[in-house]
Amino acid sequence: MSAGPLSPGTCRRLLQGQVGPLPAPPSSSVAIFISSVVSDMDAEREALQSTAYPEVQTFCQKHGLMFEVVDLRWGIRNTEATDHMTTDLCLEELDRCRKTSLGPAFVALLGDQYGPCPVPTLIEEKEWEALKAQLTTRPSDLELVAHHFQKDENAVPPTYVLQAAGPRETPSPEEATLTSVLRCGAQEARRLGLITQEQWHRYHRSVIEWEIERGLLSLTDGHQGATVFLREIQDLNKHILEDCALKMVDRLPDGCLDTDAHNLLSSLKGRIDDMQPGVLKAHHLPWSRDLVNPKNKAHTQYLKELGEQFVARANHQVLERLRELEAGRQELAWLYQEIRHHLGLSAEATKTFCGRQELLAQVGQRLRQNDSHPHTPLVLFGPPGIGKTALMCKLAEQMPGLLGCKTVAVLRLLGTSQMSYDARSLLQSICFQVCLAYGLPLPPAQVQDAHARMVQFFHTLLHTVSCRNFESLVILLDAVDDVDSIRRARRIPWLPPQCPPRVHLILSVCSGQRGVLDTVQQTIMDPESYWEVKPLSSNQGQEMIQLLLEASRRTLSPGQRDLLWASLPECGHPGRLRLAFEEARKWTSFIMPAPLASTAKEAMHQLCARLEQTHGQLLVARVLGYIVSSRHGLSEAELKDVLSLDDEVLQAVYQDWTPPSKELLRFPPLLWVRLRRDLGNCLSKRPVDNFTLLAITHRQLAEVVQERYLSGPEKAKRHGVLADFFLGTWSQGTKKLITLPLVGKPLNLDRKVAPQPLWFSDTVANLRKLKELPRHLLHSGRIQELKQEVLGSMNWISCRGMSGGIESLLDDFDLCAPHLDCPEVGLVREALQLCSLAMELRGMERSILYTELLARLQFFTTSHPALVGQLCQQAQSWFRVCPHPVLVPLGGFLQPPGGPLRATLTGCHKGITTMAWSLEEKLLAVGTQDGIVAVWDMEQQQVIHILTGHTGEVKCLKVFAKGTLAISASKDRTLRLWNLLSGRVKFTIWDGGTKDPTEPQIGSLYVDEAKKVVYSASSSKISAWNLETAELVFHILGDASDPWMFTAVLASWAALLTVSEDGVVTLCSSATGKVHGKQHLSSIKEETPTCGVSVQKPGKMVIGFSKGSISLVSSEGDSLLEKLPEAVGFLVISEDESLLAAGFGRSVRIFLADSQGFHRFMATDLEHEDTVETAVFGAQNNLIVTGSRDALIQQSSSFKVWDLTYPQKPRASAPFLDRTGLTAVSHNGSYVYFPKIGDKNKVTIWDVAEGEEQDALDTSNEVTCLEVAEQANLLFTGLVSGIVLVFPLNSRQDVLCIPPPEARKAINCMALSKSEKHLAIAYDSIVLVLDLSPGDPCPVIDGPTYTFYTQLPETISSVAILANYRVIYGMTNGALFLYECANSKVFPLEAHGNRVTCVEVSHKEQLAVSGSEKALLCLWDLQACKWKFQMNYTNSYCQGVQCACFSKDDKYVYAGLKDRSIIVWSVLDGTLLAVQFVHALVNRIIPTANGFIAPTRHGYLIRERFQCPSSRASQQDPLKNFKKAVWMIKSRQREELAAAAAALQDSGSGSAQGNECKSNKRSQVCLIV
């Protein structure tokens, strides 16, 4: 196995899909073959089994490797160990280990026995004749040999086959005589030169010499991976004739010393020492009569040393091999391994391909015809086993010839590897291969993180390849029905319904019960795209059988051939033919077999019956049952472990003999190897998670196994044993009771199965456990364990998420949820769905995931303690021992599950402008700023089409024709009619006019299906177009001086209603466009219409206005429905017109229809992070989808899915409804104060615990800022009039008023000193400083004590005040000043450069922190009036500091940033300690004893504890999951030291001091200067 990377030529060949010599793939398993003489090394093998193997296994697991020991002599009788068939199996297994093992592959335990020499199982005819010639003079010997061998003329060349004897305890004298006779004959034939030395060895070598020869001495690449442990007993020769010594050496049947064996053993040891001395590890034991007695200390010490040496040697060999692989690591090795896997299977499949030439030619002709223009994919279909896979492989092989040009062929045999099981991995591997083959950029990480973007990338990639005009691209996907997601779907979202020129997509799919062909037909609708694969002709079937026989060097007698074809009359079914061949290849010429089954299913039953007869029904049932029950298959090591846990199997195995050990019990590997050999091609190897798993090749066999062995309770039992294995229930020394037939009493024995922790090391997860365990717990009915070990385990959730992504976690919950009647599982699943946006933006990391879940689930810990409560406790326990600085949520503060928000979907579109819902097809059409219409399958939440054609922003969309068609209007002045199912455009309409960008564009659409007319309306024109002919029906031109703001088509009234900018309502005929009348809006004054929506049934429309009014308008008049806080951005109505949604700013409000119009439906509005652009109601009015801007998600926009039925679900306490960001908090977070929605002259008092408004304070003027004096229980409200009203929080009786210095000057900001004895009130350029003192019942406010003017043109943006009448204030231009009121002195501090957003003073008033709009934070030394640290923050999303504060002990600064994160900064050394994404802007931060509380724009109160270990030596990078985020920290002390050092160096007198100054500390994300 080469450790170096692939050559460029090999890489290029693989990428182009060319089948050729393929290098062996790298292995991820360690398989060690143990060779020993069965009767000589029992104690050594048991010692290794007990202690050494588990240690090596743990070591391998920590490096992500699977460990397997192949000891075919374990657990079987001596006669089976020396059986002639066993020898062949041993050598086959040895070769397998050498081929697949990474590092150690062969270990020989060599003592003082040579072992018996087995009789060859096969003797070729020529060799037989040579032996026979030497035996002609001894008729009895010749007769003995002829009795044991029969000629098989079906072998090519003919071969003599040793006839198997029945089971017996000891070899018969006849067998010993047969061995002796053959050895004599071979000796004479070799002397005469009739046979070769190698042939002679077949009669004179013992099994162990054959194994050492194959595993060591015959190697041409050195001894890497081999070890021989030699046991030398000192002075054994002196005592060799003693009875106790004779037990340790080879003996003849009469009990005497076998001197020939003794000499051969000495020769073997000498050859090893001469040829490979480095592998010998000798152990010298003193002679003792009770040498193998367990009480013999020397022997015990020897076994201990042997185990230690085995562990050290094996671990060293593994490490050496890992280092070699690391040194020669291939970039994108996973991709080349995937391509290599499919090409390797393809080469095997085409070896015996025959027939189909006409079909191949027709496919080639079709591809050539389609190569120059757009076309649909090609689908080959037929029943299972008809030969579709072989045909696809042949197509891939012959593609350059079929197309007549150079091609890049991408072949995937789906379901045969990990990356071909699911659509996400499949698309990723295809895109990578195509990009590398054509020299295109690989998909960026942001695309790979989201499946929707990967689909978009794939579709775009196909068009990019088409435009490059290089080699044609052919993608062949075999067995589409084997992709997990397709079997459960109603359509295939990622499958392009049309291919561009020079790009071809060929699929194969099974017809029949599974219904996947119907799913494909939902996407590819052209009947001519479907080609049926029909059976071969009878002659082609016979040709196929002949090819298979020739490839295996077999033939059939005429009678057998007649029997074969009589069993398969006119059979042209390749799968059935191959099954028949697998049976026929085993026929020898001297038997006449029974007729074969006539159908594939009967053949599978016949196969199982034959296997049961040979290996026992129980073993066959369990082996096949376990493989079929697994998710993707089982490795050989796993299968042997699972069989070792099956008590019924072990009881059947050990019914006639007892196991070799009294401490441990294992399934004998030889029994499995025999069965595996007889299963042959019925088992296939699949690479999954870098391991090789065994799976059932034939789908029909898997179905027969289900029917035969997994019916009724058997299915649950098989899943139960697999669940025990993957749980690790009986691993790590835990013993399991069993009663064996020959023992008669329960034995508690260690099964020595692999341990199954979630993490093998800090970086290596147990992927096999993660993928298998949920399935087995679920199907074994162990629901409580499923909840405890999987769904309710934070360790599981974090491990699964970190190793497989959030989507794999959701898959687990989706697998289990339908079978569980547990609302808590739904809550956790929904919380994970809500976490996906943070995981996408910030990356999957344990602390991020735990924070997200805690902050969403802690709302429900009391109401749902069993699952949710336990998860939160586990997360908190982890945080308590977290070794890094971390912010720990103390309560819920993120959007909770069970609330209205169901999911946030990020897609492949930039700037969502409009949406339309296909109710029947459950599709969502999304129009974007860049002219794309994306079609989403909302069941699978995936993009199925990217509709391109518009060159300008898509302004509106309408879906009709039962959700199958959509029409879009764009700024490019075109209308396009789309088929949503096929993704094709039906026609394009140019709406006339010029291309002048200032000319009004289409603003609304309406489709009248009855009249087959679509109406398009702009501010100055209404057009009606025929939907079938695309011809113009009529135009209506408006008044350019009073443009229309909205047009409604009222189909049932045959009318058009328009509303103009001046509020004129015009009524026209929808058939002719004739104007019937005009009127003015009466309910709305001094507002301009902004949007509208028609209500068809009553013949009205709802209009939104610029100041928030919503009016119901008809031809008779209008009336006011609602007043919103901001301008109405859009209005949408549900299909049945029962619900109305109004978008304003960052919110959407839902209304319910009533007899008067509409009234408010939901108590809370749907809040967003940025401006909402559009919305659409879903099916049955149970959800609404909203599209909004989002500065955090660059290059694409997000849309949110909201649940309108959430009041019926478990609910968290309601968020407070603040839209201003002007919040204040009192009573340690119990109450929140903010300007009342809809009435800015009042302040709402919100009870956080109850989740409701407790009271409202009347301020009689608009509020501009709020401050709370916590100790004095006062609320200060700054008003736009310049007045400050002071409300006692414990009393509503007395309100104090602080008048402004000048009339009508609005207050910009206020600040209280830490002692709450001073108040600073800042206007544009004036600051008042007032004294506060206690009073009864109200405090006394004196002043202003000081008043000062800034005398600057800029205005004050933030202010802070100290106890000694010093005031720090920041300006809108970034200037910052410290003013001493007592001395009337101002000290300019270094400017920020842009608006100062916050200024805060430390509790001891020695330090201050200031933040600005450009994310610069400065820490100030107030004694020196200089900055101490500057921290500059930039990332790829947005910038700016929103608020900041000091911790209570002044050790840390907490800051809320405008990228919706909170950071913690060390005051001591300026280190960035923690960064936490909180999804919403934080309005202010208030320190608590061990952390802070902070109200957010989402209406939740963040309450967190900051935990910082005393030692931060091992601190992790706080920004490692914040993509493209960079902090730069500047220290004044460092700068001054550096400047002093430079000055000293310049003068030549201070080099030593200069050297002591440390160099700048740099990292990828942080720079400290």
Side-chain angles (χ1 to χ4, degrees), residues 38 42 45-46 49 71-81 649-650 652-661 664-671 674 740:
V38 65
D42 288 346
R45 288 179 14 244
E46 181 170 351
Q49 186 88 262
D71 185 353
L72 298 190
R73 295 172 182 87
W74 176 268
I76 59 174
R77 292 172 292 191
N78 290 0
T79 51
E80 287 188 278
V649 169
L650 294 177
V653 167
Y654 294 109
Q655 63 180 342
D656 297 324
W657 71 93
T658 56
S661 172
L664 59 93
L665 183 64
R666 294 280 298 171
F667 175 78
L670 177 63
L671 305 185
R674 287 175 177 169
L740 297 176

Side-chain angles (χ1 to χ4, degrees), residues 638-649:
E638 289 171 340
L639 184 57
K640 286 184 281 191
D641 276 354
V642 170
L643 290 171
S644 297
L645 291 177
D646 191 321
D647 290 351
E648 292 179 14
V649 169

